[in-house]
């Protein structure tokens, strides 16, 4: 008998008062009882609308049916047929616009908590003593993967399972890409990312950190000199954008990338870190996406009073509802219909305040969202010690500028077909490097699609 | 792991190290830089490539002991290994089409100016090197510079070695005496480069300055190294580190360079205390 409760089982979370002062994970995860109870809310629809909402088409009703029966390992197997990073995606996927948005239970009441169940299944599996992974039989073909973020990890994992000799090249000193440098510990513990990476290593994937493709080695060299038969580019969209307003280069103004990298990758939140970060008493974050929420919540945990300024209204915030909710609970103050026009300095060249202009919403723009227009003469000033620009990122131009014959869009995205094939024979690309900044799950899906295409390409050579 | 093959003190606060890093050595060019971490907990610091040996796979770095990381680095010895060493990053110095160049270096910046002078000299360019130090004890790479220069002018603030005065005094004298340079390349403290660029602007001599700002990843990701060049935001790591000296906003660069000075001083002191405790 299905559980007909209109509400999801609530996710146990760290108290907002306490968590706004630590970097421990916010959402604590379901208990076994909660997971089974929630799984019983699933109506097991025959046409599986939720699966259609999933970018990698996980057989959601099937895994939930196993959870309801207490067969957690079976559930894990079903998920990992389609997803490479369930513990990650269960945490950071925007389920409310994907699988859960299609859930029939959501028509009247809340949808089934698919994301929370995915996380429970993955965490339960990961907590167990893992049986030794059987290494796939080597097929003797070498493939290079550039970047160890979600798309690269997914691509490498699928190819390694097919017996390919895969090497991932990573520019930073730690693997994981945005999972390591971008998403904070309190939302995605780094031990989970490490677990996924260790899993790949057990499959035989080699990871070469400290290698900047385009500088240390070129794509052509990988193919011509190092003997890689195919290359997958998953270099992400890591180039921060700025607003080009006065004062943007003052001391105390960070790109969200820099701020988050200092905190997550370089552990600047720990008192013994050798990498500094200056948040000050009040931080103003510019932007309304998930990255802005991450930056704001990090700044809060560094002890600052935090403002988020966003030029549209709450309805247009691109961040996930859950992140916005968590940010509010942690005391972050939102200033909507507000756009910065200048950052002012104190006498030492540090940020003193940010001058903003009120906006009003007008007819929709190309993105389909109401366009903000400035209200004449409606300026006001917010005092601040730091300003964090979180208005988006573009694909990194390093690979494009050093790879002859690799075509890109005007805005920098690598041009690739639906299977990830670029303008260069044997070279595939996927994730944010192709689409511009998007989600972990879409990047992971692109990595999997390209892995399939690379396999076909090499087998048919 | 990246082994220290050789370590030598150039003056009381400047150290030279040869690091085994064959991939970087095979690609590195003058003007480019590397990023290193000494250990698992270390910060990432950028250092310009001072020399490289493609055959032996070694890269030479020269650093001044200013903060915790350079202090830690200086406590490492031949045979020890650095945790991370990535590069070559940034763009190489452009030397094509040049016939006569003045290379103006100041202090530890001379370590970076030297490979540029050397490359120019090797490709048949007439090189005039003007180098400045605070005093006699701080002079580095004198023989190397002499060998790579058609003219070598040594300046010191206190007159204890070479001529007394600033590099700009010497450069001005050379220009006024009729030397015609098709480019000036300057590497050193920001304040020095600022005045070199002001001087050469008066004479309309194209001038390139090598910037060494704060950075983390070195691949265009963090934007910490941004500076204003000709009114536009540029990233030193991918667009530079060399820029048209007449367009750089040096005052802004100086303010940004001082951003973490108090932190740096504190953590340097803490590291020094740590080392002195170890000695006890």
């Amino acid at each position: 008998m299905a559980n007909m409760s209109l509400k999801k089982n609530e996710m146990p979370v760290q108290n907002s008062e306490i968590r706004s002062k630590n970097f421990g994970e916010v959402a604590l995860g379901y208990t076994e009882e909660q997971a089974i109870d929630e799984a019983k809310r699933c109506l097991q629809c025959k046409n599986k609308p939720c699966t259609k909402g999933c970018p990698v088409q996980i057989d959601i009703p099937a895994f939930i049916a196993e959870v309801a029966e207490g067969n957690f390992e079976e559930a894990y197997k079903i998920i990992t047929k389609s997803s490479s990073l369930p513990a990650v995606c269960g945490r950071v996927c925007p389920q409310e616009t994907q699988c859960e948005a299609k859930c029939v239970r959501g028509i009247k009441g809340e949808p089934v908590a698919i994301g929370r169940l995915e996380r429970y299944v993955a965490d339960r599996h990961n907590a167990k003593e893992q049986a030794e992974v059987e290494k796939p039989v080597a097929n003797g073909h070498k493939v290079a993967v550039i970047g160890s973020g979600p798309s690269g990890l997914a691509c490498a994992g699928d190819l390694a399972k097919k017996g390919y000799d895969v090497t991932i090249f990573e520019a930073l000193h730690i693997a994981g890409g945005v999972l390591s440098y971008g998403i904070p510990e309190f939302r995605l513990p780094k031990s989970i990312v490490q677990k996924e990476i260790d899993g790949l290593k057990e499959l035989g994937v080699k990871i070469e950190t400290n290698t900047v493709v385009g500088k240390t080695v070129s794509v052509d060299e990988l193919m011509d000199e190092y003997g890689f038969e195919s290359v997958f580019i998953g270099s992400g969209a890591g180039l921060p954008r700025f607003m080009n307003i006065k004062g943007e280069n003052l001391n105390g103004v960070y790109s969200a990338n820099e701020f988050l990298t200092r905190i997550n990758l370089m552990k600047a939140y720990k008192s013994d870190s050798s990498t500094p970060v200056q948040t000050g008493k009040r931080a103003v974050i510019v932007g309304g996406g998930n990255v802005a929420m991450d930056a704001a919540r990090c700044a809060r945990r560094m002890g600052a009073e935090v403002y988020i300024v966003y030029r549209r209204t709450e309805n247009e915030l691109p961040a996930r509802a859950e992140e916005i909710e968590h940010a509010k609970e942690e005391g972050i103050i939102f200033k909507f219909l507000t756009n910065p026009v200048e950052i002012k300095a104190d006498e030492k060249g540090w940020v003193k305040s940010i001058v903003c202009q009120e906006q009003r919403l007008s007819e929709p723009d190309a993105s389909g969202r109401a366009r903000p227009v400035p209200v004449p003469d409606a300026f006001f000033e917010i005092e601040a010690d730091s300003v964090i620009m979180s208005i988006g990122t573009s694909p990194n131009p390093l690979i494009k500028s050093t790879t002859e014959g690799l075509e890109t869009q005007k805005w920098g995205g690598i041009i690739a077909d639906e299977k990830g094939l670029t303008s260069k024979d044997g070279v595939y690309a996927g994730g944010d490097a192709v689409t511009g900044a998007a989600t972990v799950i879409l990047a992971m899906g692109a990595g999997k699609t390209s892995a399939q295409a690379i396999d076909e390409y090499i087998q048919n050579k | 792991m990246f082994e220290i093959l050789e370590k030598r003190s150039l003056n009381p606060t400047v150290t030279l190290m040869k690091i085994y890093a064959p991939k970087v050595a095979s690609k590195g060019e003058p003007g480019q830089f590397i990023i290193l971490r000494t250990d698992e907990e270390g910060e990432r610091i950028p250092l310009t490539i001072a020399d490289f040996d493609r055959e032996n796979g070694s890269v030479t770095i020269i650093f001044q002991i200013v903060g915790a990381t350079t202090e830690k680095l200086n406590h490492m010895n031949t045979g020890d290994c650095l945790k991370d060493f990535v590069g070559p990053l940034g763009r190489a110095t452009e030397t094509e089409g040049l016939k006569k160049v003045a290379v103006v270096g100041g202090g530890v910046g001379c370590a970076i100016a030297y490979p540029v002078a050397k490359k120019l000299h090797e490709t048949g360019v007439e090189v005039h090197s003007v180098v400045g130090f605070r005093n006699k004890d701080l002079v580095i790479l004198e023989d190397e510079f002499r060998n790579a220069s058609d003219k070598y002018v040594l300046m010191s603030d206190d007159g204890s070695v070479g001529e007394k005065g600033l590099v700009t005094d010497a450069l001005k004298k050379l220009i006024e005496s009729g030397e015609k340079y098709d480019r000036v390349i300057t590497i050193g403290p920001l304040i020095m480069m600022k005045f070199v660029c002001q001087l050469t602007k008066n004479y309309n001599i194209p001038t390139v300055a090598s910037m060494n700002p704060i950075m983390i990843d070195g691949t265009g990701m963090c934007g910490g190294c941004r500076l204003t060049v000709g009114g536009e935001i540029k990233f030193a790591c991918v667009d530079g580190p060399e820029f048209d000296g007449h367009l750089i906003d040096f005052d802004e660069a100086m303010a940004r360079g001082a951003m973490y000075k108090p932190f740096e001083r504190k953590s340097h002191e803490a590291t020094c205390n740590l080392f002195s405790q170890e000695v006890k």
Side-chain angles (χ1 to χ4, degrees):
Chain A
M1 177 60 203
N3 166 0
M4 292 313 291
S5 162
L6 292 181
K7 286 201 161 287
K8 289 177 181 178
N9 275 270
E10 253 181 66
M11 181 62 129
V13 291
Q14 256 202 85
N15 171 282
S16 59
E17 226 6 72
I18 297 166
R19 73 177 192 242
S20 64
K21 295 182 185 72
N22 70 47
F23 276 79
E25 193 170 17
V26 170
L28 302 171
Y30 277 166
T31 61
E32 183 176 318
E33 292 71 36
Q34 286 171 314
I36 291 175
D37 189 58
E38 184 63 28
K40 285 182 176 160
R41 291 186 64 226
C42 175
L43 300 176
Q44 293 294 317
C45 306
K46 286 276 179 298
N47 59 347
K48 303 181 181 184
C50 47
T51 296
K52 295 192 185 91
C54 173
V56 297
Q57 275 94 52
I58 295 172
D59 189 343
I60 293 165
F63 102 74
I64 292 182
E66 298 294 349
V67 175
E69 294 296 318
N71 301 328
F72 303 108
E73 216 30 52
E74 285 307 311
Y76 184 78
K77 279 185 197 148
I78 293 167
I79 296 174
T80 48
K81 268 186 210 158
S82 316
S83 169
S84 313
L85 309 165
V88 174
C89 293
R91 287 172 166 81
V92 302
C93 250
Q95 291 98 6
E96 65 278 10
T97 60
Q98 299 177 355
C99 52
E100 294 182 18
K102 307 273 164 119
C103 178
V104 171
R105 293 300 306 267
I107 297 168
K108 193 180 167 208
E110 290 181 346
V112 176
I114 301 168
R116 293 171 188 175
L117 290 174
E118 179 185 26
R119 169 183 163 158
Y120 178 78
V121 168
D123 284 359
R124 187 173 173 122
H125 170 85
N126 286 343
K128 276 196 329 195
E129 195 65 37
Q130 304 295 318
E132 194 106 335
V133 185
E134 230 176 278
K135 266 199 193 166
V137 183
N139 68 9
H141 296 286
K142 281 173 74 178
V143 178
V145 170
I146 304 170
S148 61
S151 70
L153 293 178
C155 186
D158 279 14
L159 286 169
K161 283 180 202 154
K162 290 184 204 283
Y164 285 91
D165 178 357
V166 184
T167 307
I168 302 181
F169 295 95
E170 166 58 47
L172 292 171
H173 57 268
I174 293 173
V178 74
L179 307 175
S180 291
Y181 76 75
I183 304 177
E185 178 77 19
F186 57 81
R187 204 149 74 78
L188 178 64
K190 300 308 142 209
S191 56
I192 286 167
V193 180
Q194 197 51 50
K195 192 119 197 166
E196 303 288 1
I197 291 163
D198 290 344
L200 287 189
K201 285 186 182 161
E202 278 170 35
L203 283 172
V205 173
K206 286 165 260 181
I207 301 182
E208 297 236 8
T209 52
N210 294 321
T211 308
V212 183
V213 175
K215 287 289 175 188
T216 315
V217 64
S218 70
V219 171
D220 287 324
E221 284 168 338
L222 288 175
M223 297 182 87
D224 301 341
E225 292 171 30
Y226 289 70
F228 291 102
E229 293 169 61
S230 179
V231 173
F232 174 76
I233 305 171
S235 49
L239 194 76
R241 289 197 201 121
F242 289 93
M243 293 184 75
N244 290 311
I245 58 172
K246 200 176 163 209
E248 218 167 4
N249 293 352
L250 290 171
N251 289 355
V253 183
Y254 293 98
S255 72
N257 261 7
E258 179 180 2
F259 185 71
L260 291 171
T261 300
R262 283 178 181 272
I263 290 177
N264 300 325
L265 185 76
M266 307 311 295
K267 311 277 175 241
Y269 66 88
K270 294 183 177 170
S271 59
D272 60 349
S273 171
S274 47
T275 300
V277 69
Q278 292 276 1
T279 315
K281 287 202 184 76
R282 188 187 283 166
V284 173
I285 285 81
V286 181
N290 287 319
V291 176
M293 299 304 136
D294 284 346
R297 296 171 68 195
C298 282
R300 184 81 183 120
R301 284 161 172 75
M302 299 298 291
E305 181 188 29
V306 182
Y307 281 78
I308 287 180
V309 302
Y310 178 59
R311 58 195 184 138
R312 295 186 170 93
T313 71
E314 181 158 10
N315 298 327
E316 287 83 24
L317 273 179
R320 294 186 60 196
E322 183 182 309
E323 305 308 325
I324 299 163
E325 205 47 49
H326 282 161
K328 282 185 182 166
E329 286 167 10
E330 288 162 17
I332 284 154
I333 303 153
F334 286 79
K335 298 287 257 179
F336 295 110
L337 293 170
T338 299
N339 203 33
V341 291
E342 183 187 345
I343 303 164
K344 287 191 171 172
D346 67 12
E347 63 286 353
K348 287 182 184 147
W350 280 84
V351 172
K352 188 183 78 178
S353 69
I354 179 164
V355 183
C356 299
Q357 185 170 18
E358 275 177 38
Q359 311 284 304
R360 62 174 178 80
L361 289 186
S362 173
E363 68 285 354
D365 62 9
S367 73
R369 293 177 299 176
R371 191 167 56 94
V373 283
V375 178
D377 302 322
F379 297 97
F380 62 97
E381 213 167 318
I382 306 171
E383 302 225 335
D385 303 298
S386 57
V387 171
I388 300 162
M389 289 292 169
S390 181
I391 53 168
T393 52
S394 322
N396 195 311
L398 262 189
I399 290 177
K400 172 202 146 191
S401 63
T402 54
T403 309
E404 215 168 300
L406 185 72
E407 285 173 22
T408 57
Q409 315 272 5
K410 258 196 205 128
W411 50 268
I414 297 171
I415 296 174
D417 69 12
E418 72 282 0
K419 292 195 164 165
L421 179 63
T422 67
S423 54
K424 228 172 140 66
D425 191 38
V427 178
Y428 293 75
D432 286 4
V434 170
T435 59
T439 59
V440 169
I441 185 84
L442 283 171
M444 196 195 82
K448 291 178 76 72
T449 304
S450 283
Q452 177 101 36
I454 288 169
D455 179 41
E456 283 162 19
Y457 166 77
I458 290 177
Q459 298 307 329
N460 295 330
K461 255 208 314 196
Chain B
M1 293 294 258
F2 305 90
E3 192 185 337
I4 300 169
L5 302 174
E6 188 186 325
K7 178 187 175 187
R8 162 155 78 87
S9 173
L10 298 185
N11 78 28
T13 62
V14 175
T15 303
L16 174 150
M17 275 183 182
K18 277 190 186 165
I19 311 291
Y20 183 68
K23 274 197 210 160
V24 184
S26 74
K27 285 286 182 73
E29 291 288 344
Q32 291 188 293
F33 65 96
I34 57 94
I35 284 184
L36 65 79
R37 284 203 315 159
T38 52
D39 58 278
E40 193 49 68
E41 304 304 320
E43 66 175 332
R44 295 169 66 96
I45 60 160
L47 289 170
T48 309
I49 295 172
D51 207 348
F52 44 83
D53 184 331
R54 303 212 202 277
E55 262 171 48
N56 295 338
S58 74
V59 175
T60 304
I61 51 170
I62 295 177
F63 58 92
Q64 186 158 30
I65 304 148
V66 285
T69 301
T70 42
E71 181 71 45
K72 262 200 265 181
L73 186 58
N74 196 45
H75 272 80
M76 298 178 81
N77 288 305
T78 306
D80 291 344
C81 286
L82 302 180
K83 185 75 180 64
D84 301 292
F85 195 87
V86 57
L89 301 166
R91 293 168 185 266
T93 306
E94 284 173 29
T95 54
E96 235 163 83
L98 298 176
K99 295 204 170 57
K100 186 167 174 175
V101 172
V103 176
V104 183
V108 74
C110 292
I112 308 155
Y114 163 64
V116 175
K118 184 175 144 197
K119 180 168 181 190
L120 288 167
H121 191 68
E122 280 170 0
T123 51
V125 180
E126 185 179 344
V127 177
H128 292 185
S129 296
V130 179
V131 298
F133 299 93
R134 285 213 308 278
N135 61 53
K136 186 167 169 261
D137 297 334
L138 300 179
V139 176
I140 58 169
L141 301 173
E142 185 172 353
D143 294 339
E144 287 87 345
F145 254 113
R146 282 189 192 279
N147 290 333
S149 312
D150 297 277
K151 190 173 267 185
Y152 175 79
V153 183
L154 176 59
M155 306 294 289
S156 62
D157 292 0
D158 63 356
S160 58
V161 67
E163 281 176 56
K164 183 175 171 167
L166 303 171
V167 290
T168 38
D169 302 333
L171 181 63
K172 188 169 181 197
K173 222 159 127 188
L174 285 167
I175 297 168
E176 293 281 326
S177 75
E179 301 285 3
K180 294 255 179 285
Y181 301 113
D182 30 58
R183 186 171 297 169
V184 171
I185 299 175
T186 179
I187 307 168
L190 288 167
I191 186 78
M192 181 202 90
M193 294 197 286
K194 176 182 166 175
F195 284 108
V196 168
C197 293
Q198 273 180 10
L199 175 74
T200 58
K201 195 160 194 261
N202 294 335
Y203 297 96
N204 259 325
I205 307 169
T207 301
V208 165
S210 177
M211 306 299 278
N212 186 19
I214 292 164
M215 56 176 78
I216 307 176
D217 62 292
T219 63
M221 200 184 84
C222 79
C225 66
R226 67 192 185 275
L227 66 162
T228 305
V229 182
E232 277 179 58
I233 292 183
K234 295 280 180 191
F235 290 2
C237 65
V238 287
D239 302 320
E242 294 179 356
F243 294 96
D244 182 340
H246 296 154
L247 299 178
I248 296 170
D249 183 341
F250 279 105
D251 294 336
E252 178 188 271
M254 279 187 261
R256 289 186 65 80
M259 199 180 320
Y260 296 106
K261 279 276 155 64
F263 179 92
E264 219 165 65
R265 208 170 300 127
K266 228 172 81 192
S267 76
H268 186 193
E269 279 163 17
T271 310
C272 291
N273 290 339
L274 212 65
F275 283 123
S276 61
Q277 275 168 14
E278 274 172 23
V279 172
K280 276 179 213 163

